[in-house]
Amino acid sequence: EPLMPALAAQRADWLESVLDAYRKGARRSTAMSAMSASLSDADVKALAAHYSRQPARAVVYVLVPGKRP
């Protein structure tokens, strides 16, 4: 899904900081704020560790004629 962020293989410390920013409102996204609001510090750490251990997926970009990238 090209509109979904690629979380797999990202650094755990980066994922933790991003999730924490959504929880605190420093980063804004209705969906992410709602999903992260109830997470504890331990939950954030566990999610970041999980996604950082996943293999990266291939990313393919397709240019659509008449659309600017």
Side-chain angles (χ1 to χ4, degrees):
E1 173 64 46
L3 299 177
M4 301 301 281
L7 299 179
Q10 297 289 342
R11 289 186 5 228
D13 61 329
W14 178 81
L15 289 168
E16 283 183 49
S17 69
V18 169
L19 280 171
D20 197 45
Y22 282 121
R23 285 194 307 166
K24 294 178 179 175
R27 281 183 89 149
R28 299 191 186 276
S29 164
T30 304
M32 287 302 298
S33 294
M35 287 186 273
S36 63
S38 64
L39 297 176
S40 68
D41 290 342
D43 292 334
V44 169
K45 190 173 279 301
L47 282 169
H50 169 77
Y51 281 106
S52 69
R53 290 189 304 263
Q54 303 308 304
R57 64 179 166 89
V59 177
V60 177
Y61 294 96
V62 178
L63 295 178
V64 177
K67 299 271 185 172
R68 295 186 69 157

